[in-house]
Amino acid sequence: MSELTFDNLADDGNYLGSERARLENQVILDELERKKKARSMAVPTDDNRVKARLREMGEPITLFGERAADRRDRLIYVLSQINAARGDDMDMQVDDKAEESEDEVEEFYTPGTLELLEARRRLAEYSLPRAQKRVAQQRIDSKMPLGRIIDIRKRVFADVKTFQNLGSQIGDERPISLVRFAPNNEILATASWSGSVKLWNVPSCTPIKMLRGHSDRVGGVAWHPQATLSQSPDAVNLVSGAGDTFVHLWSLNSDTPISVLKGHQDRICRVAFHPSGNYAASASFDTTWRLWDVTTSQELLLQEGHSKEVYTVEFQDDGALVGSAGLDAIGRVWDVRTGRTAMVLDGHVEGILSMAFSPNGYQIATGASDDTIRIWDMRSLRALYTIPAHLNNVSDVRFFHSDGTVPAHIVQPSADDVPMNSAEPDAPSGEEGAAPRAQGSPPPSLEQQQEHLAQEWRYRPGLYMASAGYDGVVKVWSADDWQLLTTLQTDGSKVMSVDLSSDAKMLASGTYNRNFQLFAPESAM
């Protein structure tokens, strides 16, 4: 299969030209027109008059469990249906004291720059082949035998359940607002309310340097996808946002910012790097999120859409989508290639504080002040599951992410691990946690062991997630049946943030007590 690009992307121009599509589209337009007229229709507000009007039309005056407001809505629906059947374009006036109709919400657009247009094209060119590769791998995984999937889940979850406290360190003089592992998993970045960002060696928890530049509490910090890997230490490796309304871009060789991005009018909470590393996003209390060009330090997009403060922003791994959520208890998923809303996450009853995209590309987890985590499916455009996660605010959620390669600390099978005598059916297979072979079955070859290990690590990303809560604990959940795997105690104060290293060796948490903690499974010790 050839790589999918922006230029060879199929464009089905005949869809709207088909007779069936035209009919379906007309039905939708007719229904929208009926609802529009129904909104402007004046009906009685007195419940007795509503019942009398329903009785005149031969409709039941009340239904089981129906409230007065529901009854009035039913009257509006019946009248609009009668109007539509008669073909009457005039609004029906059934009450002398008609209420003023609601102001119609007019959709508006703001002109975009040529730089934004070019950025959208580059984002499409970047995301299309990545999505194609992800879907191809998911098709391969869907053919995996059920027994093999169960075996992988057992081993991974058994390893996760052995997380133990590796150490704790005082990170700053004020609360630690965010912790994030570097892509090489050897450095931990911590953001603090003191306005500083600190870098630490892990797991030794020794300081590397302090990045100074913000004058107010730092709410977000994110690593460039290639930082500490192929990215030059002199180039942009980190982005941070703070209460001083500024976004700072940092290198690893300087404790002052390379660039300061200005534009927000209020406190900045979370920031995120696009998977390409060329763009960054920031969420702010000015009810907007913004997209920045990292190379030029230019603001490309100011996106409205929330009625209250925007608290978190996160990119999907493909790079095609970005999610934003805030204190209006609403999340939105945007297609950054077109600027359109792909999905509205409406279900939380209090403000959303955290958001994470699953590596599978179509599931989203949101944590909120209503103490729950909601799991959303973009394929069905609805909430799949609600987890009663913590006893207080869910401050952070993070899926396990990895590029699918086997980490260096995992023991690779060698020729010495392959049993030479098949009469010893219970000899170790060399693969950690492997199920015992059936009596009389031949031992797995070295190639089979290596393939099983590689298959497990390709399947592992997105298999579990971690959450942090103001109840003082970190919890790890399975990401297929959403069951609790383990609960990790911190220092007893509010846990502000959590992160998982991509090599599965460590979990980090930052707390209100100015500390950060490291946890590790037994396999990594």
Side-chain angles (χ1 to χ4, degrees), residues 90-121:
M90 300 298 293
D91 295 336
M92 292 186 65
Q93 302 290 333
V94 296
D95 187 22
D96 293 337
K97 298 180 180 179
E99 298 180 354
E100 294 182 0
S101 61
E102 296 179 1
D103 294 335
E104 292 184 12
V105 178
E106 182 180 358
E107 192 171 17
F108 68 94
Y109 299 90
T110 54
T113 62
L114 292 177
E115 290 82 1
L116 176 59
L117 179 63
E118 182 59 28
R120 292 200 191 281
R121 183 180 180 91

Side-chain angles (χ1 to χ4, degrees), residues 15 51 74 100 137 276-277 303 305 327 421 442 458 506:
Y15 174 75
K51 291 179 180 179
R74 181 159 61 92
E100 294 182 0
Q137 183 60 47
S276 67
Q303 184 63 64
L327 303 188
N421 185 357
R458 286 195 301 267
M506 287 176 286

Side-chain angles (χ1 to χ4, degrees), residues 116-383:
L116 176 59
L117 179 63
E118 182 59 28
R120 292 200 191 281
R121 183 180 180 91
R122 288 198 297 266
L123 288 165
E125 290 173 344
Y126 177 84
S127 63
L128 288 171
R130 286 173 65 93
Q132 182 187 33
K133 181 179 178 181
R134 171 178 57 81
V135 172
Q137 183 60 47
Q138 288 173 339
R139 286 174 177 165
I140 295 173
D141 292 342
S142 66
K143 299 176 182 178
M144 192 184 302
L146 179 60
R148 177 65 182 148
I149 294 175
I150 293 174
D151 186 43
I152 291 175
R153 288 180 79 257
K154 284 182 178 179
R155 280 203 299 276
V156 171
F157 293 164
D159 187 46
V160 168
K161 290 178 181 178
T162 63
F163 267 108
Q164 299 177 10
N165 196 320
L166 198 61
S168 179
Q169 175 69 284
I170 297 177
D172 205 273
E173 59 189 17
R174 296 206 65 195
I176 303 296
S177 56
L178 205 70
V179 292
R180 290 293 182 260
F181 283 106
N184 69 352
N185 302 303
E186 296 176 2
I187 302 175
L188 182 72
T190 61
S192 168
W193 283 8
S194 67
S196 65
V197 176
K198 293 184 179 180
L199 305 182
W200 305 80
N201 286 309
V202 288
S204 61
C205 296
T206 56
I208 300 175
K209 69 168 50 182
M210 179 189 297
L211 307 179
R212 303 175 185 271
H214 290 292
S215 60
D216 201 346
R217 62 181 66 180
V218 180
V221 65
W223 288 92
H224 187 286
Q226 294 302 316
T228 67
L229 298 177
S230 59
Q231 186 80 340
S232 168
D234 295 319
V236 175
N237 281 260
L238 278 162
V239 61
S240 64
D244 56 11
T245 74
F246 300 142
V247 176
H248 287 183
L249 301 178
W250 307 87
S251 71
L252 294 181
N253 287 342
S254 174
D255 57 0
T256 56
I258 294 177
S259 180
V260 178
L261 312 182
K262 302 178 181 179
H264 281 294
Q265 303 301 313
D266 207 336
R267 169 189 170 191
I268 297 172
C269 291
R270 297 288 190 258
V271 293
F273 254 114
H274 186 268
S276 67
N278 296 324
Y279 308 97
S282 56
S284 171
F285 270 34
D286 62 9
T287 72
T288 70
W289 67 267
R290 304 191 187 211
L291 185 68
W292 309 85
D293 189 318
V294 173
T295 305
T296 64
S297 299
Q298 180 182 2
E299 179 188 304
L300 295 175
L301 174 66
L302 184 158
Q303 184 63 64
E304 298 174 321
H306 291 272
S307 61
K308 290 186 178 181
E309 296 88 342
V310 184
Y311 199 90
T312 182
V313 64
E314 193 74 28
F315 283 102
Q316 180 210 34
D317 283 358
D318 293 344
L321 305 174
V322 60
S324 63
L327 303 188
D328 55 0
I330 300 292
R332 290 184 179 272
V333 181
W334 311 83
D335 189 334
V336 289
R337 303 166 298 185
T338 63
R340 297 175 180 173
T341 300
M343 183 178 178
V344 177
L345 314 179
D346 187 2
H348 285 289
V349 296
E350 292 190 39
I352 299 175
L353 305 179
S354 55
M355 170 184 282
F357 279 91
S358 170
N360 63 25
Y362 55 83
Q363 287 181 337
I364 306 167
T366 53
S369 298
D370 57 11
D371 312 338
T372 67
I373 297 173
R374 280 182 175 258
I375 309 298
W376 310 84
D377 193 316
M378 292 198 60
R379 300 170 301 179
S380 59
L381 298 177
R382 65 183 182 88

Side-chain angles (χ1 to χ4, degrees), residues 11-74:
D11 183 10
D12 186 4
N14 295 324
Y15 174 75
L16 292 178
S18 66
E19 183 65 25
R20 178 180 176 184
R22 279 201 302 269
L23 292 175
E24 291 177 351
N25 196 38
Q26 187 59 44
V27 170
I28 295 173
L29 291 175
D30 290 344
E31 179 65 14
L32 290 174
E33 185 66 21
R34 184 193 66 76
K35 290 181 178 179
K36 179 181 176 181
K37 292 179 179 179
R39 285 197 298 269
S40 63
M41 190 176 296
V43 297
T45 55
D46 180 69
D47 191 43
N48 291 328
R49 299 185 66 182
V50 171
K51 291 179 180 179
R53 185 63 178 145
L54 287 169
R55 183 181 289 110
E56 290 175 7
M57 300 167 61
E59 293 289 328
I61 63 171
T62 186
L63 299 177
F64 181 75
E66 189 177 51
R67 298 173 300 175
D70 300 330
R71 194 156 33 247
R72 186 170 181 271
D73 291 341
R74 181 159 61 92

